[in-house]
Amino acid sequence: MKKDTKQEIIETAFKLFHEQGYANVSVRNIADELNISVGNLTYHFKKKEDLIEAVIIDQYENFQVPATPTTISELNDFFLLGVSHQKQEDYFFAHYGELASISPKVYEVQVAAIQKRKQKLQVAFQNLQRNGDMLPEEVPGQINALIDVLNMIKIYWTPNQEAFTNAKESPFDCLWSLIYPRLTAKGKATFQEDIQTRNIA
């Protein structure tokens, strides 16, 4: 089935924003890429800000949300999917703050995505505690603070990797170095036997 014009505009805008940057792409550039008139494009999206909103919302709605992890191995897979997503859409993560400032709707979508990920990690860590793989909190708010840092790594690591560390190093070293001290002896054994070996390989 042929895509409708509105969806084609969104997908073309995504492609051009990703390749050239939001500031370097005009409404006319997008219309020319599609071989349609500017008037046809602005019938669907009145201004460029409407387009970036539609692109971000489309990304959010079509992102395959991973299942909530119940084991250390599943938590690692959760991180793998997040890093893969970040690499595929690196422009949007590299300009995360800039895009949020363009439109309140973009900011709302970003916040909703962070909150959904935070909720999944909260449940995941509760699962690990029930399984005997993770220690309980030593002070109130410790787990939430850990999750906030993990979310910041997810958002900012790949597009700013060279500023943080050697470009060849993996974000998993950082993610797991934060989680590992919170694991029980059982959880650490699982990590060493399964995750550490798999990530190094």
Side-chain angles (χ1 to χ4, degrees), residues 59-184:
Q59 286 180 285
Y60 179 71
E61 291 178 346
N62 289 300
F63 175 63
Q64 183 181 359
V65 179
T68 302
T70 60
T71 65
I72 287 176
S73 181
E74 289 177 5
L75 181 61
N76 193 67
D77 291 340
F78 183 90
F79 291 148
L80 279 169
L81 184 60
V83 172
S84 174
H85 174 233
Q86 190 185 59
K87 288 180 178 178
Q88 290 169 4
E89 301 179 1
D90 56 347
Y91 170 79
F92 296 95
F93 284 101
H95 298 83
Y96 195 84
E98 175 191 346
L99 295 174
S101 69
I102 292 169
S103 160
K105 284 187 181 178
V106 170
Y107 178 72
E108 288 172 11
V109 171
Q110 290 175 335
V111 170
I114 291 170
Q115 290 303 315
K116 182 175 287 188
R117 181 179 171 85
K118 183 170 185 174
Q119 290 166 4
K120 283 186 173 289
L121 286 172
Q122 286 171 332
V123 175
F125 288 154
Q126 289 169 4
N127 290 333
L128 294 185
Q129 288 173 346
R130 278 195 294 269
N131 295 342
D133 291 320
M134 193 170 196
L135 298 168
E137 286 188 325
E138 295 174 329
V139 293
Q142 188 174 35
I143 295 299
N144 279 335
L146 172 61
I147 291 170
D148 287 340
V149 174
L150 296 176
N151 271 332
M152 284 189 279
I153 293 171
K154 195 270 182 182
I155 294 168
Y156 295 111
W157 181 280
T158 297
N160 300 287
Q161 190 169 7
E162 292 186 14
F164 293 136
T165 186
N166 186 296
K168 294 182 180 179
E169 291 185 12
S170 166
F172 294 103
D173 293 336
C174 185
L175 291 168
W176 282 110
S177 70
L178 293 169
I179 297 170
Y180 187 82
R182 303 302 313 148
L183 299 180
T184 61

Side-chain angles (χ1 to χ4, degrees), residues 3-69:
K3 294 177 184 174
D4 61 36
T5 301
K6 189 171 184 178
Q7 187 60 33
E8 286 186 337
I9 292 170
I10 291 172
E11 292 178 6
T12 301
F14 170 87
K15 174 178 175 288
L16 294 181
F17 290 156
H18 191 273
E19 292 174 352
Q20 302 176 32
Y22 175 81
N24 299 320
V25 176
S26 67
V27 169
R28 180 169 292 281
N29 294 148
I30 298 167
D32 289 347
E33 183 78 9
L34 286 162
N35 291 316
I36 63 175
S37 68
V38 171
N40 193 349
L41 191 153
T42 55
Y43 172 80
H44 297 282
F45 300 99
K46 300 300 182 188
K47 54 188 185 298
K48 194 168 75 164
E49 289 82 357
D50 296 337
L51 270 169
I52 192 62
E53 289 174 1
V55 166
I56 297 297
I57 291 170
D58 187 67
Q59 286 180 285
Y60 179 71
E61 291 178 346
N62 289 300
F63 175 63
Q64 183 181 359
V65 179
T68 302

